[in-house]
Every structure is written in structure tokens, then in C-alpha cells.
Amino acid sequence: MMSPSIPYLLSIITFLPLLGALAIAFVGDDGSKKQIALGTTVVTFLVSLLLLTGWEGGQAGMQFVEDYAWLPEFNMHYHLGVDGISLFLVLLTTFLMPIAIYFSNLYVQEKVGTYLILMLLLETAMTGVFVALDLVLFFVFFEFSLIPMYFLIGRWGSGDRVYAALKFFLYTFAGSALMLVAILALYFQTGTFNILELQGAALSPAFQTWAFLAFALAFAIKVPIFPFHTWLPDAHVNAPTAGSIILAGILLKMGTYGYLRLAAPIFPEAAAQFGPLVAALAVIGILYGALVALVQKDFKSLVAYSSVAHLGFVMLGIVAFNPQGVSGAVLQMVNHGLSTGALFLMVGLLYERRHTRMLDDFGGLWKSVPIYCGFLLVVAMSSAGLPGLNGFVGEFTILLGMYQHTPFFAVLGGVGVILAAWYLLTAFRKVAQGPITHEENQVGRLQDLRPNEVAMLLPLVILFFVIGLFPNLFLEKINPSVEALVQNTAIVMKVER
């Protein structure tokens, strides 16, 4: 039921960026547009914090629910809500957006208004995916997110940006088309688009199999899981820095979230049947992504392949489908958004100074830009899963859950942790350590981080330590919803058998 003290809170959080985008359309100068965009995302973040202050601890169900008939003749509803699984994904979205907008305000020079409008539209779409409880509403937000990102990559990217944007769009759109067919079939089987009702629906094994495959393929492309990952490196390498931050930080989570919220609980028999295959692909992604990252010469490409590896961990936790694995996966979604978003931010800050991302063009930067290198070290260690930082908690919990499910996959996942430390430390060594071999990197020629750039990075680093040292602040809100989801899915499977 709707929170009596904060009515329409989820609608406000979702559509406030849309209002900001409309306001920018009526403003003339770029300075005002930048202020409106940044102000909108900051206010949206502050409003989203009310989710924490109004949160009812220990509750597994949806909170801040809004439910109104949308198209009654088709039983479609404007139905929103958050639980422990989606809460921190909404907050991750509203947290990363002001950082991405601030970076954009510093460095984006062309068609500023259109760029900022697209970024704000993207925020509305992403938030909508995480709060939608009606399948059609979910699909609308899921699909709408493609359009702003397509134009952001294709217009403000670099290199072969048009090819990368088209590949991103076609891959994800193809997967979504299959999901749309499955959604329609699901409606004619059950008569509802209500996601919570669908999670308890009794569906025949044959229907579950093909519908699960349609949903799973759409989300596998979005995550992306090996071998559906080939669009990701192109999109990341050619996207503008803020686009990469949002793509890695939030957009990819729509795939893992969709698999956890829809594919696994609505089609539990099929999810169990194909679980070993998905786990095997996740492990291949962890090892393949790490090994390919290890040999990259382009810093941004290295971070892109690291996402394939890290999101393999998230899928491994979901496939385990026990409380430890799934809670770890939810927390790791947040961790990956923070750590990889920060890594892309570090790459972007370096690129704006040297206009190159090739690792061989650096070396010895610790002497010339020590503040930058200090932040880079912390961010790299966060992504590598160093104990005390956020990445460790998520990966450890996932491996714990997977070990209870299939120890062999957990052992292979552990190898991926070692490989992650290897390629991240290698990248750090090539950038920061050793002698300075290029004149452009000499002390005094390369500018260290400015105070406003430090202010942009500091909230991310603080969260690394908060999650790493006090994980229960997050897990105590995540666990009740995860435990209920796992338990209810197990009950549905017993009934169907």
C-alpha cells in the first residue's frame, strides 16, 4: 500500500528528470541548461533518499506502492513499487546521474542541450525499469532506454561511434522483440501483466521453457553474458565518458535485474533446468573477460571487458538462487555500478588531459599526478575486490552461495577474482609506476586532479569503504526481499511438480 507520508514518491523520482529535460528544451544558453540538468539530478537524488528515511525495516514486500488502472480493458496498470532488491538500484541510478552530468558539463561542448535532454530521459527510463511492477510498463521503460543511449553513443561518441551505436541498438532490440512475444503469450495464459501475480502463476513446463528462453535471451544480451557480449566493448570504447559511466553503472543492471525479477521467479522450472547452462556461460564470461582484459592496450577497452567478467559474478549469484548467492548478486550490482563507473570516470579524466587511452602512452604518472594515481589505486582495488572495500563483500557472498549450489563453479569463479587483481594491477603499473617515458607526462606538464574533480570522485570512494566495512547497512534491507523471493519460488516449483 502507498506510504501515507510520502505519496507519489516513486513517480516523482521517476519523472523529475523528464521535467528537467522539458525545462532545458525551453532555455536558450548552454550555461543555464547545464545548471538545470545538474540541479534536476541532484534534487532527484535528494528526493530518492526519502526512500531510505521512509523504509520499513524487515519488510520483504513492496513499499511505496502506486497502483492505478492504465488500460483496464487489458488489465494494464500504472503499478510502481520497490523492495529490497530494487531499492539500491534506484538509489544507484539517482546517485550516479549527478556525477555523470557534472562530468558532461565540464567537457561536452557540442549540442549541449540535446545531450543533456537525452541524459535526463535516460534517467527516467532506467528508474522506471527498477520500479515498474506491470510487465508492459517494465517493457516500455526497458525499450525506451535504448533510444537516448543510441543517440548519445552515435552523436557524442568517438571513433567508430555510428557502428557501435547501431550494434548496441540492434543487439538489444532483437532480444527485446523476443521478450515482447513472450509477454503477450504470458498475458493470454494468465490474464494479467502484474509481475507479482505472475511470480505465483502455475505455468506448464513446455510454456515455461520457451518463454523463459525468450526472456533470458533478452536479459543475457543486456547484461551481457558470454557469448552475447560483443556489442559491449564497441559501445564502451566509442561512447562518451558519461555514457560509459551510465552504461556500465546502471544500464547493464537492467539485464541482471530483469533476470532476477522476471525470468527466474516467473519460470522457476525452466530457470532450474537451464541454470547449469547459464552458470557455465557466466563462468566462461568471468574467465574470458578477465583474460581479454589482461591483453588490452586501450585502458577503456580493458574496463569494458572487466564488466563482462564482473557481471558474470552477478549472474553466478542469481543462478545459485539461494539467499547468500542472490543477496550477494544484488549487492554486487551496486558495487559494480560504483566501481566500474568510477573506473570509466578515471579513464575519462585522463583522456581529457592526454587525448589518448593507450596504456603504453603513460607510465610514471605517480610522479606527475599523484592525487589522480591515488584515486586510481583505490578504484582499481575496489574493482578487484580487496577486503575492506565494496567489491570483496559482493563477490565473497556470491561465491559462498554458489559453493553451496555447485562448488566447481565457485572454484572457477575464485580464479576469476585472481585474474581481476592481475589485470587491474597491470593496468595501474602501466599508468602510474615506472619511469616517465613520454615528454607529455612530465611533472608540470600534466595537470593533477582539480578540487572539483576530487569532489566528483570522493562520494564514490566513500561508498566503497562504507559498503566494504558496513555491508549490513545494505544487506539488512536486501535480505528479507531476497529470502521471500527464494522461498516463494521454491513453493511454486513444488506446487507445479
Side-chain angles (χ1 to χ4, degrees):
M1 55 188 295
M2 186 184 298
S3 172
S5 57
I6 317 171
Y8 312 113
L9 180 58
L10 291 181
S11 291
I12 294 169
I13 295 168
T14 304
F15 292 106
L16 204 51
L18 178 63
L19 291 178
L22 290 172
I24 289 173
F26 293 98
V27 171
D29 65 291
D30 287 350
S32 299
K33 290 173 183 174
K34 291 178 178 179
Q35 289 176 1
I36 291 173
L38 183 61
T40 300
T41 52
V42 170
V43 170
T44 303
F45 171 64
L46 294 175
V47 172
S48 72
L49 292 179
L50 294 175
L51 293 174
L52 289 177
T53 60
W55 192 257
E56 293 183 31
Q59 298 295 316
M62 291 291 168
Q63 301 188 35
F64 305 98
V65 173
E66 301 173 32
D67 189 1
Y68 307 99
W70 179 18
L71 290 172
E73 59 270 32
F74 298 110
N75 202 15
M76 293 181 196
H77 284 237
Y78 175 79
H79 191 184
L80 309 180
V82 286
D83 63 358
I85 295 172
S86 52
L87 170 67
F88 290 109
L89 294 173
V90 174
L91 293 171
L92 175 70
T93 305
T94 60
F95 174 76
L96 284 180
M97 281 305 296
I99 295 173
I101 291 290
Y102 187 76
F103 183 93
S104 303
N105 285 352
L106 292 178
Y107 296 109
V108 173
Q109 304 296 333
E110 296 180 3
K111 301 283 184 185
V112 172
T114 309
Y115 175 94
L116 293 172
I117 286 172
L118 290 171
M119 288 289 284
L120 292 175
L121 292 178
L122 189 57
E123 182 173 11
T124 287
M126 294 184 299
T127 307
V129 165
F130 297 132
V131 300
L133 294 180
D134 181 279
L135 206 47
V136 175
L137 196 60
F138 173 90
F139 186 79
V140 169
F141 284 125
F142 190 84
E143 283 299 280
F144 184 65
S145 68
L146 295 181
I147 299 169
M149 184 52 78
Y150 168 80
F151 285 108
L152 286 168
I153 297 172
R155 177 63 182 83
W156 286 271
S158 59
D160 204 356
R161 62 180 187 269
V162 175
Y163 168 76
L166 193 60
K167 193 173 180 181
F168 158 76
F169 187 89
L170 290 179
Y171 263 65
T172 47
F173 187 74
S176 300
L178 286 175
M179 183 168 66
L180 178 60
V181 174
I183 287 173
L184 293 174
L186 197 56
Y187 172 72
F188 288 113
Q189 284 277 324
T190 61
T192 182
F193 291 112
N194 187 311
I195 292 173
L196 301 180
E197 291 177 5
L198 288 170
Q199 289 177 353
L203 301 167
S204 70
F207 181 84
Q208 283 201 34
T209 298
W210 80 262
F212 169 81
L213 288 175
F215 272 79
L217 181 61
F219 298 136
I221 293 171
K222 182 69 92 176
V223 172
I225 300 175
F226 177 91
F228 306 105
H229 66 284
T230 59
W231 63 269
L232 183 67
D234 289 323
H236 268 314
V237 168
N238 296 295
T241 296
S244 290
I245 294 170
I246 298 306
L247 182 61
I250 308 165
L251 219 63
L252 304 186
K253 310 304 174 299
M254 289 162 48
T256 49
Y257 174 77
Y259 191 94
L260 178 59
R261 178 68 79 196
L262 301 177
I266 295 178
F267 314 108
E269 293 276 4
Q273 179 186 348
F274 289 99
L277 174 62
V278 177
L281 293 177
V283 167
I284 292 172
I286 291 171
L287 301 178
Y288 168 82
L291 291 172
V292 177
L294 193 58
V295 297
Q296 293 304 301
K297 297 183 182 301
D298 184 323
F299 199 0
K300 201 174 185 187
S301 185
L302 182 152
V303 181
Y305 277 103
S306 80
S307 283
V308 177
H310 283 128
L311 288 167
F313 278 104
V314 175
M315 288 306 300
L316 210 55
I318 294 173
V319 173
F321 219 73
N322 51 38
Q324 293 85 358
V326 177
S327 289
V330 173
L331 188 59
Q332 191 62 9
M333 288 187 221
V334 178
N335 291 336
H336 177 264
L338 297 171
S339 301
T340 307
L343 273 174
F344 277 119
L345 189 54
M346 298 304 298
V347 175
L349 288 167
L350 198 54
Y351 179 80
E352 294 299 336
R353 285 161 167 76
R354 286 280 280 105
H355 299 289
T356 177
R357 299 188 303 259
M358 295 297 113
L359 289 166
D360 290 341
D361 290 337
F362 303 110
L365 295 194
W366 195 277
K367 301 179 184 69
S368 53
V369 286
I371 300 174
Y372 173 89
C373 291
F375 273 101
L376 179 61
L377 181 61
V378 175
V379 172
M381 290 300 95
S382 160
S383 185
L386 186 75
L389 295 173
N390 56 332
F392 173 77
V393 183
E395 289 181 352
F396 179 79
T397 317
I398 286 170
L399 293 178
L400 194 65
M402 180 45 73
Y403 192 84
Q404 296 174 52
H405 184 274
T406 310
F408 178 65
F409 286 139
V411 171
L412 291 178
V415 174
V417 175
I418 298 168
L419 291 175
W422 188 4
Y423 66 72
L424 285 163
L425 285 173
T426 300
F428 180 77
R429 177 181 59 77
K430 288 183 176 180
V431 170
Q433 296 179 299
I436 295 177
T437 55
H438 294 271
E439 189 63 27
E440 298 89 337
N441 300 331
Q442 289 292 344
V443 178
R445 295 198 60 177
L446 198 61
Q447 185 181 23
D448 209 341
L449 293 183
R450 296 185 289 266
N452 59 338
E453 293 169 331
V454 171
M456 192 165 44
L457 285 164
L458 209 51
L460 289 161
V461 172
I462 290 171
L463 271 178
F464 294 165
F465 285 99
V466 170
I467 297 175
L469 296 174
F470 309 103
N472 271 342
L473 291 175
F474 299 81
L475 289 173
E476 67 185 10
K477 294 180 174 58
I478 293 171
N479 286 342
S481 299
V482 167
E483 289 165 4
L485 181 72
V486 171
Q487 187 177 6
N488 292 341
T489 303
I491 291 171
V492 172
M493 288 179 68
K494 285 180 182 176
V495 169
E496 288 173 351
R497 283 171 180 166

